[in-house]
Amino acid sequence: MRLNLALQDNIDQLQHIFGNSGDLIVRELTFGDTPEVHMAFVYLDGMADRTSVYRLIESISNQAVQEGWTTSTDVLSLSRITIGDIRTQTDFEAIQESILSGETVIFTDRENQAISVDTVGFEHRNVTEPISQTVVRGPQEGFTETLQTNVALIRRKIKDPNLWMEVNPIGRITKTKVAIMYMNGLVKESTLQEVRSRLQRIDIDGILESNYIEEFIQDKTFTVFPTINNSERPDVVAASLLEGRVAILIDGTPFVLLVPALFTQFLQSAEDYYHRSDFGLLRLLRYLAFLISLFGPSTYIAVTTFHQEMLPTALLISLASQREGIPFPAFIEALIMEVTFELLREASIRMPRAIGTAISIVGALVLGQSAVEAGLVSPAMVIVVSITAIAGFIFPSFDIGISARVLRFGFMGLAASFGFYGMFLGMIALVLHLCHLQSFGVPYMSPFAPFSKSDQKDNVIRVPWWKMYTRPDVLVRHNKTRIGGEPQQNGDSGTNGNHQAGNPNGDMK
């Protein structure tokens, strides 16, 4: 619907569109004597910066008085507006989008076009330390809910004109800004086109968080494993971009999606690359923790139920004496403890912080001790469930922890039914499922399957930075070298500069 020539008709139509909302501010001004020039400044209170709006009105008022405006054409001269970005609008649909984005729209009588001025200035959270992905050593800044701030944080890490960004609104009602960022020349064109295609196919009323996008564009819906990674750390996103991945930023959430995602990526932490002496030893601990979290209770159930001959005699007698008087089989015993722990975990997350810790302590100490004294569970089962729970908190990614928690119950059922035979069948099915998964055309278990010798430098362990001179083969086809010169040996000869320095931008592969 196009604008009218009459100023009052345009204002009435706009107020009708917004339902006479109280936060829609219409400031009408009149300049000149004969003939008079009538203008209206329209913006949403809280979305536009009041200081910028006042400066805009003051600037135009001063020019009108000094230059003696007599026609509306004088007002529509874009060169007179020196505040913010400006655009000419001719229909109500574009105007209402501008107002909802925090811009100020200038209407003039006897003109069927308006001027949109960028005065965005709504309240937002400042850059703070990441909450869900903390590190001891490394950058201590995290993304916010503002898209412009998040883009700036990434550009501070990568000062290169080849860092390209594309922004498109998604959501018929919310019209949420969704941006994709990538390194031109590094990312595979097929991956980039697939990301664009999947985003364009999204047709939904609103996008309020990154998971809305994730569930629409993921390769496989019915799997417990995440095929899209996310992070609230700018250094992790910058490192992923330098590897040839694509970052998807959604306005209104501090979590950025990263594709393609590999299984090994969820067990890697930014801190692995910030400690010189580690070389990925803690990453080996995470792999062990994943196995414990997945198979801990089921292994105990299988041994105590079907395979007692595998235990030393002294340990078997100790476990038998502990289970004397326990009314439930090992599977029911483990199921009760696991469900109780999941309830405590959720309660500690949902409760206010002041009492969330108290709930965890009471649940872990009082309930566990009381259950043992009441003869409902054995002390050994409490130890197994506790170790399993501790192992589940080690993962840098919360999503992979959820996968282990869900699969744990399935393996417990297989162990209670068939012992180790059932567990081995479940492991085979799990490996086949993992090898079948893909993330935007990249095998999920790369570089394990298919095996890539060159990518083992940063897989289970991490070699020194000066040896990671190539990018992952599965992510890039061209420009694979990221450290200049030939790879050299470490500096054991005692001279400085015997090996290439690591990537200062935080590249993590």
Side-chain angles (χ1 to χ4, degrees), residues 351-479:
M351 296 295 289
R353 293 185 179 181
I355 61 177
T357 305
I359 292 292
S360 301
I361 295 175
V362 169
L365 297 180
V366 178
L367 290 181
Q369 184 67 24
S370 300
V372 172
E373 293 179 355
L376 297 178
V377 296
S378 62
M381 180 59 74
V382 174
I383 294 175
V384 170
V385 173
S386 300
I387 295 176
T388 303
I390 293 173
F393 288 113
I394 294 181
F395 309 127
S397 172
F398 183 75
D399 295 335
I400 200 68
I402 296 178
S403 304
R405 288 159 57 186
V406 173
L407 291 173
R408 185 189 308 155
F409 289 95
F411 278 100
M412 287 167 54
L414 290 174
S417 302
F418 309 103
F420 280 138
Y421 301 105
M423 289 183 61
F424 289 146
L425 289 176
M427 291 179 191
I428 294 173
L430 178 61
V431 171
L432 290 176
H433 175 69
L434 287 172
C435 293
H436 179 69
L437 292 178
Q438 287 190 342
S439 177
F440 287 81
V442 178
Y444 191 61
M445 291 303 293
S446 299
F448 289 123
F451 184 80
S452 175
K453 181 179 179 181
S454 61
D455 288 349
Q456 301 303 319
K457 300 187 297 293
D458 188 26
N459 195 17
V460 178
I461 62 173
R462 180 183 77 82
V463 299
W465 262 118
W466 54 270
K467 287 187 68 68
M468 291 192 290
Y469 46 85
T470 58
R471 295 183 174 88
D473 289 337
V474 295
L475 297 178
V476 295
R477 292 180 180 176
H478 308 287
N479 195 12

Side-chain angles (χ1 to χ4, degrees), residues 293-417:
S293 179
L294 195 58
F295 303 119
S298 57
T299 302
Y300 177 82
I301 293 172
V303 170
T304 56
T305 305
F306 293 98
H307 311 286
Q308 297 92 342
E309 67 277 2
M310 298 180 62
L311 297 175
T313 303
L315 179 59
L316 180 60
I317 294 175
S318 176
L319 292 177
S321 62
Q322 292 179 21
R323 290 193 50 79
E324 185 179 359
I326 302 298
F328 306 112
F331 172 69
I332 302 298
E333 187 182 358
L335 190 62
I336 292 174
M337 291 299 298
E338 286 290 342
V339 171
T340 302
F341 181 78
E342 294 299 329
L343 292 174
L344 290 172
R345 184 203 298 262
E346 288 298 314
S348 62
I349 293 175
R350 310 304 170 194
M351 296 295 289
R353 293 185 179 181
I355 61 177
T357 305
I359 292 292
S360 301
I361 295 175
V362 169
L365 297 180
V366 178
L367 290 181
Q369 184 67 24
S370 300
V372 172
E373 293 179 355
L376 297 178
V377 296
S378 62
M381 180 59 74
V382 174
I383 294 175
V384 170
V385 173
S386 300
I387 295 176
T388 303
I390 293 173
F393 288 113
I394 294 181
F395 309 127
S397 172
F398 183 75
D399 295 335
I400 200 68
I402 296 178
S403 304
R405 288 159 57 186
V406 173
L407 291 173
R408 185 189 308 155
F409 289 95
F411 278 100
M412 287 167 54
L414 290 174
S417 302

Side-chain angles (χ1 to χ4, degrees), residues 63 69 72-82 86 115:
Q63 292 186 50
W69 291 354
S72 57
T73 306
D74 296 330
V75 181
L76 295 177
S77 177
L78 301 183
S79 61
R80 300 180 183 276
I81 301 177
T82 59
I86 54 179
I115 299 176

